[in-house]
Amino acid sequence: MSLSRLLIGLPLLGLLWLYPAIAGATEIQRVRSPGGITAWLVREPTIPLISVSFSFAGGATLDDPRRKGTANMVSGLLDEGAGGLDSLAFQTRLEELAVRLSFDADRDSFTGGLRTLTENRDAAFDLLRLALTKPRFDGVAVERIRRQIITGLKEDQENPNAVVGRTWFAMAFKDHPYALPTRGSQDSVAAITADDLRSFVASALARDRLTIGVVGDIGAAELAPLLDATFGGLPESTERTMIGETAPVTDAGLKVVEMEIPQSRVMFGAAGLKRDDPDWYAAYVLNYVLGGGGFASRLYDEVREKRGLAYSVYSYLYPLDHAGIHLGGVGTQNGRVAEALTVIRQQFAKARDEGINADELANAKTFLNGSFPLRLTSSGRIARLLVAIQRENLGIDYFDRRPELINAVTLADVKRVAKRLLRPEKMLVVVVGKPVGLEAGE
Amino acid sequence: MLALLAFATAVAGEAMSAGLFHPKVGSLANGLRIVVIEDHRAPVVTHMVWYRVGAADEPPGKSGIAHFLEHLMFKGTTKVGSGGFSKIVARNGGRDNAFTSHDYTGYYQNVARDKLDLVMSLEADRMVNLRLDPEDVETEREVILEERRSRTDNKPSAQLSEAMHATQFMAHPYGIPVIGWQHEIEALSREDALAFYRTYYAPNNAILIVAGDVTAEQVMALAETHYGGIPRADTPARRRPQEPPQLAARRVELRDARVNQADLRRSYLAPSRSAGETRHAVPLSLFAEMLGGGTTSRLYQELVVKRKLAASAGAYYSATNLDRRTFSLYVTPSPGVTVTAAEQAMDEVLAAVLRDGFEAAELARSRTGMLAAAIYARDSLFTSPRIFGDALTSGLTVEQVEGWPDEVRAVTMEQVMAAGRAVLDPRRSVTGLLLPEG
């Protein structure tokens, strides 16, 4: 085991969106198959492997609320038997070929990835085809995965990080699908049937909401027919209606969930910006200075460096497809939660009233531009970025344009967006633990 | 000049092996080892310095000092102000961090290739010029106590792990948590940190690893400039107290009102590639894979799939440790299944495997997986330097890292079974139970 000076936890989810960038040196090709399926490709023949990433928009928001957790359960079952192969046969085949196949569901999308050695390319893509288009959902496999999910949900109840996130989203989004955790509840997962799983696959995994990124030892001419062979059997269009726009309601203020732990876990946040907001880059710079910059943010300086109040403190923009959120977190011993929250609120208020200074703006630009090739350091990471950039409609030339978009941000832009984004008195603050000196309940 | 000669020889030697990452290696006259992994896919580099010192090298009663010092290394030097290190790296578009284990302490910066000179000058500076403001030390101790609460005290499962290690290692400091015991962290002083720093932070006790878009010649020249003038120190040999023979199985039970989901774990004292019966180490990696590495493994198939007693079950083992460490098993019982029933079933699987062995196809699959993992490891710029740092601070050589695929290919079923039978001796085990209160 190894300890890090800073462990970055929750914000990772957001980081994919905060750094949707790639070096100018990387050449992206748009590959369109004969059957009309598009993928973005970065050819990298140095190492004999191929990484594929893909995403179907919709994800867990397409779940029937009474069967919440369906998308997640599907993600656990697609590699548990497909076509003529039962679970053991399918898993054995993956191992024989050293193919890594993964599926996941999040609030807005159903995602997946494939990694294979070049020598097993065709067999690997064929296993992906089988998983996506001919999943079996055998009774024994369904019950086994259900058992695993329910066990995980029970473990979550004792995990303050899980409880704080669930509580924040439940309060902020009330009756909207975003309120419900992607993995559902013990009750909703218990109610899911094999028919629910089949119905989800048939109606939610379709080509009209599919985005694909491929990186590695494969050319466009080789990829095109594989796209048709792999994804061509999916339905052409999705039958489930996408959810509507929403925004978090954060007026509730403070909520304390009592748990017998020495350190309170805190999540704080309010409405943020969506990725296509004209002020996105100004907000991005602002958040970097306030709480996004690892060892270089105001929250880090004030909460950790000067006062020793926490090991981790951070904020991040979390742009969902249908709502923008600005979130943050801190972990502090119960006796000092009130002090930590006061410091954090002061920092939010100061940035709202005064914006940031010229040095901070310049430093943020240098970091946000300079650090971006660091995201290009494995084929899987690049493949996921290719998907993210397509999903957000940032354009195939986005990598070249990104520095200009960041460099164009002015102090006035940051000040304007700070007034809009930072509302310390409107934040919803959820505390899990036994905090001292905070009003319990609401 | 001497250093460059040594470098050239090492490079020539390296070219002969089939290898994995094909590093170029060298050293400076002051004893700094250098490993370069050239990778020109993206215009970036990772620069790391690993010290051959970790939590298992701490003086008695000073647990956590290796990790505390790691944090304090960011508090400034004669040239750089407190907290300035990371800010300079960030202002140059880079990311930095550091980490501590029982066997090593490491520091790294990921930067654009033209910033290598800068980060090397910063890292070399703090190898000798650390300055600690007493107030910074007090504040950082609070940060580390919060880190301990986050990682351990807030989580019954982490508390059980801590108790199991303490039980497995009665003499060896692997039984002491890397972060330290709370009461000892509270008593660590600035002088403790500086004494540890002066004793262990020196070029002859360090390994410089650079991976990325740079040539070995460039790295050597820069290293000579920045690290070449730092004097050697008289670093003590790493001789830790060793475990006495374990003759009796040990059990640990943690009951906590916070626990909703019971859990069963077991560990066995095991050799590494550097210590104990080292010939068992690579075969044991394959044994762990077949016993509990994935969903086709024996533990998963028997306990989770066939008997439905568990939601998950598996085994894991790391062969890279300076001293003997552990081989571990875990079972998460299904709802309604007691840990006693789960333990009995786990023991039945172990007994059957040790009696009857595995099928040849299982060994072939595990071998395929491990060899593929070695290729996949080349994909991330940050993986190979971690592998070398881990290995070289744990008593292994560059040749052993490069020879891993060949060793895996050569392992026979007889060696796998001999390793499993030697290690999975109930008398050398610790069994841990995580249970709800009552």
Side-chain angles (χ1 to χ4, degrees), chain A residues 1-8 15 19 23 25-26 44 46-51 80 87-88 91-93 95-100 115-117 140 143-145 147-148 150-152 154-161 259-265 288 293 295-297 300-301 303-312 331-333 336 363 366-381, chain B residues 39 41-45 67 70-71 74-75 82-84 86-87 89-102 104 110-112 136 139-140 142-147 149-151 153-157 178-179 256 258-263 294-297 300-301 303-305 307-312 325 332-336 365-366 368-369 372-373 375-382 386 434:
Chain A
M1 190 188 69
S2 161
L3 306 182
S4 280
R5 179 168 161 246
L6 180 64
L7 195 71
I8 297 163
L15 281 180
Y19 300 94
T26 306
E44 174 50 74
T46 321
I47 300 173
L49 58 83
I50 300 161
S51 287
E80 289 284 349
S87 171
L88 180 59
Q91 293 281 327
T92 301
R93 190 82 186 118
E95 284 187 11
E96 285 167 351
L97 298 167
V99 169
R100 299 190 185 176
R115 186 156 76 157
T116 179
L117 302 176
V140 284
E143 292 318 310
R144 175 161 47 83
I145 297 300
R147 216 159 63 224
Q148 289 174 352
I150 288 177
T151 303
K154 286 173 78 176
E155 285 169 349
D156 278 358
Q157 289 179 303
E158 66 205 49
N159 176 350
N161 295 333
M259 195 183 272
E260 284 291 339
I261 44 177
Q263 182 188 73
S264 292
R265 300 300 306 189
Y288 172 78
F295 299 121
S297 78
Y300 178 84
D301 277 348
V303 176
R304 173 167 158 165
E305 198 83 342
K306 286 191 190 156
R307 295 179 177 82
L309 281 166
Y311 170 63
S312 72
T332 305
Q333 57 180 303
R336 296 186 77 181
N363 289 337
T366 317
F367 175 81
L368 297 173
N369 283 324
S371 66
F372 111 170
L374 303 176
R375 305 251 124 203
L376 305 178
T377 45
S378 80
S379 54
R381 279 178 120 180
Chain B
D39 180 338
R41 291 177 297 163
V44 298
V45 294
H67 173 249
E70 177 229 295
H71 279 234
F74 293 84
K75 296 299 185 183
S82 181
S86 297
K87 290 191 172 72
V89 173
R91 278 168 205 165
N92 284 277
R95 296 174 171 276
D96 73 322
N97 211 333
F99 45 84
T100 307
S101 82
H102 279 107
Y104 54 73
N110 301 332
V111 289
D136 281 348
T139 311
E140 199 62 25
E142 293 301 316
V143 170
I144 285 169
L145 288 166
E146 291 296 352
E147 182 176 357
R149 290 182 193 107
S150 288
R151 290 180 184 281
D153 305 323
N154 259 18
K155 297 177 185 166
S157 65
V178 171
I179 197 158
D256 193 306
R258 287 175 282 173
V259 174
N260 288 296
Q261 173 63 48
D263 216 354
T295 58
T296 69
S297 71
Y300 189 93
Q301 281 296 316
L303 301 187
V304 181
V305 176
R307 298 178 63 180
K308 303 183 173 61
L309 292 168
S312 67
R325 198 81 190 232
T332 303
S334 296
R365 278 206 310 277
S366 297
T368 301
I375 295 175
Y376 290 139
R378 289 165 53 199
D379 186 33
S380 166
L381 178 63
F382 306 127
R386 289 296 284 246
L434 184 67

Side-chain angles (χ1 to χ4, degrees), chain B residues 365-419:
Chain B
R365 278 206 310 277
S366 297
R367 197 182 271 139
T368 301
M370 284 197 181
L371 294 173
I375 295 175
Y376 290 139
R378 289 165 53 199
D379 186 33
S380 166
L381 178 63
F382 306 127
T383 304
S384 57
R386 289 296 284 246
I387 289 172
F388 281 108
D390 188 22
L392 297 181
T393 52
S394 303
L396 298 176
T397 63
V398 167
E399 291 69 29
Q400 282 175 296
V401 174
E402 291 290 288
W404 166 261
D406 290 340
E407 281 197 59
V408 169
R409 268 185 215 104
V411 168
T412 66
M413 188 68 93
E414 289 66 35
Q415 290 169 331
V416 168
M417 293 313 299

Side-chain angles (χ1 to χ4, degrees), chain B residues 127-192:
Chain B
M127 190 181 280
V128 277
N129 296 321
L130 184 66
R131 290 290 173 277
L132 292 180
D133 176 324
E135 251 181 60
D136 281 348
V137 175
E138 297 309 306
T139 311
E140 199 62 25
R141 191 190 297 104
E142 293 301 316
V143 170
I144 285 169
L145 288 166
E146 291 296 352
E147 182 176 357
R148 195 191 143 85
R149 290 182 193 107
S150 288
R151 290 180 184 281
T152 311
D153 305 323
N154 259 18
K155 297 177 185 166
S157 65
Q159 290 177 317
L160 176 64
S161 297
E162 197 173 76
M164 286 182 71
H165 293 140
T167 307
Q168 181 83 66
F169 296 98
M170 301 179 84
H172 193 284
Y174 283 163
I176 299 170
V178 171
I179 197 158
W181 301 114
Q182 180 169 332
H183 66 286
E184 292 187 359
I185 298 172
E186 284 166 354
L188 293 174
S189 70
R190 175 176 176 273
E191 287 63 41
D192 292 331

Side-chain angles (χ1 to χ4, degrees), chain A residues 7 10 22 37 60 93 98 125 138 157 172 229 250 270 291-292 351 386 399 409:
Chain A
L7 195 71
L10 275 173
I22 211 163
I37 295 168
R93 190 82 186 118
F125 275 84
D138 290 335
Q157 289 179 303
T250 57
L386 294 179
F399 314 136
V409 173

